[in-house]
Amino acid sequence: MKVLITGSTGLLGRALVATNGNDDLYTLSRKPINSDRHIVHDLVLPISTDIDFDLIIHCAAEGNVDIVQKDPSIGIDHIVKATVNVCNLARTKKCKLVYISSNAVFGGTNPDYDDNAPTDPINVYGCCKAASEVFVKSMVPTYLIVRPMLLYGRHDPHERSNVVMTMLGKLLAGETVKAAIDVYAQPMWNIDCAISIWQACKKFHNMSINIAGPESMTINEMANRIRDRISEPTTVAGIVEPCSIVDVAPAPRPCNTTFSLRLASLLEHKPRSLEQGISEILC
Amino acid sequence: MITIKQLKEMANEACNTKPLPGPEWPPSIYYRYLGIVARNINCRNFVELGTDGGGAARSVAMMSPGTNVITIDIRKASTIDMINLPNFKFVQGDSVALAEAIGPTIDQELDLLFIDTVHEYDHAMAETNAWVKYMPVGAVLCYDDLYRPGLERLWNDLPFQKTGYRDLHVLHIGGVPTDGGFGVAIK
């Protein structure tokens, strides 16, 4: 099966490539890499290719919530417009499209969120993701919308870090980490997310599926768990300082988008706990 | 003939009814509501426009075994093939165009219609007009997501007895009020 992964140098894109050994994989990003199966392209522009893909997994997007909040045109271009261009490619190739959305499409006031729960974003990033979901549903005959939550894992050093790795780095360096007590998340290791997506691709279509780690916790609790994990046996970790999300994030964040994980529970793969995920990263 | 008061009372019954088993489908209360309405009005034929994952149509088929369930969508979700009930039928196609093909086979025996497709005024009105002629007087029409801008206008324009819009919005997933809005009308 010929598969195209957009955003292949990002946290999830890399994991999708790493966890697929069976398919004929092609990758796409704005950055060149040393591969004859890599397409260098900015998806703000329409894309055409002679390769007849059977499946496209669209991960590419601007993932910085605060940057998109400050300049919504970045979200319009690099989330919505890019998705529309990928939808057109999927339509032309008559192939299935897996769109990687986000828990940010939910407002955070009505957990636990079902896979079919209506979207009600509260920031520009979430609006762009929710709008992209609508384009996917209305443009592509066979699709799957996947909404991961708070991914973490080893990232390309030239790419954006993730909150867990940032906390881990600071705590290992003995620095103080400010962590919000009023936002909940279900952190998920990027490799677990990628495995779940490959399984969901085979099992579901024309639906939305929310996927996340097994534990719901505040960001502050998450930081403390990371600290506990690296404090043993002799390492002296930094300090976790409780704060409100408004103290550390310019854009509004949904306070609790905990998922019901109804459809995710039907997948064979069961994601690791945060402690297990951190252990995988550190080993 | 069913009354608006009775239809509102059934919403309370739906809120107190346990979700049907099966993690493949969400525990939306309005799924159960449609099943309760179908059972109480001795519904002969139920047509749903906008199948999505099939949860609503499956609930009606399970809760009202005497009802012939026909559900229509332009796309087929992967969960549809998991519904193996003798009174359940999925038809892939356009929700307006299919009225001419299916309507005459259930003429004046279409007792319950549920519209949940693109949630735009013109399309929802076209769907209503295409199917309502096959419904007898006293038949029930249900609409989801009435808070969407186009459907608010549609709701106001419908020439039927109506309830819902705000007081039935608790019929959504898990009983948590959402901004969806749910409306029920009697022809």
Side-chain angles (χ1 to χ4, degrees), chain A residues 199-230:
Chain A
Q199 289 185 358
C201 277
K202 290 179 184 162
K203 197 172 181 74
F204 301 119
H205 57 263
N206 294 344
M207 307 174 78
S208 303
I209 176 171
N210 301 335
I211 57 175
E215 311 149 301
S216 179
M217 61 190 83
T218 66
I219 302 299
N220 185 267
E221 197 179 342
M222 184 177 84
N224 277 307
R225 288 195 194 188
I226 295 168
R227 186 182 185 278
D228 290 347
R229 174 62 187 79
I230 60 174

Side-chain angles (χ1 to χ4, degrees), chain A residues 110-111 114 116-120 136-143 203-207 262-263 265-266, chain B residues 22-28 31 52-53 75-79 82 145 148 172-173 176-180:
Chain A
N110 289 323
D114 186 82
N116 277 24
T119 58
D120 58 341
V136 170
K137 286 180 185 175
S138 55
M139 289 179 69
V140 185
T142 308
Y143 67 86
K203 197 172 181 74
F204 301 119
H205 57 263
N206 294 344
M207 307 174 78
R262 180 174 54 81
L263 288 176
S265 70
L266 298 174
Chain B
E24 292 86 352
W25 294 275
S28 296
Y31 293 179
D52 200 13
R75 289 199 187 86
K76 186 178 181 184
S78 46
T79 43
M82 299 177 196
D145 295 319
R148 309 261 179 111
H172 280 266
I173 291 165
V176 176
T178 72
D179 61 352

Side-chain angles (χ1 to χ4, degrees), chain A residues 208-279:
Chain A
S208 303
I209 176 171
N210 301 335
I211 57 175
E215 311 149 301
S216 179
M217 61 190 83
T218 66
I219 302 299
N220 185 267
E221 197 179 342
M222 184 177 84
N224 277 307
R225 288 195 194 188
I226 295 168
R227 186 182 185 278
D228 290 347
R229 174 62 187 79
I230 60 174
S231 290
E232 56 188 6
T234 54
T235 320
V236 179
I239 296 166
V240 176
E241 189 179 296
C243 68
S244 168
I245 191 66
V246 297
D247 298 331
V248 289
R253 300 295 203 277
C255 64
N256 190 349
T257 57
T258 298
F259 291 153
S260 71
L261 299 174
R262 180 174 54 81
L263 288 176
S265 70
L266 298 174
L267 300 175
E268 205 174 294
H269 184 70
K270 304 300 172 203
R272 289 159 181 76
S273 66
L274 177 66
E275 189 181 2
Q276 290 167 326
I278 297 293
S279 298

Side-chain angles (χ1 to χ4, degrees), chain B residues 68-89:
Chain B
N68 176 41
V69 172
I70 301 166
T71 180
I72 295 167
D73 206 310
I74 52 168
R75 289 199 187 86
K76 186 178 181 184
S78 46
T79 43
I80 302 301
D81 289 332
M82 299 177 196
I83 304 170
N84 186 21
L85 296 165
N87 58 335
F88 175 92
K89 186 180 181 186

Side-chain angles (χ1 to χ4, degrees), chain B residues 15 29 35 58 63 71 104 109 153-154:
Chain B
C15 290
I29 296 178
R58 170 181 173 265
M63 296 174 73
T71 180
E109 294 186 351
R153 192 177 136 215
L154 172 97

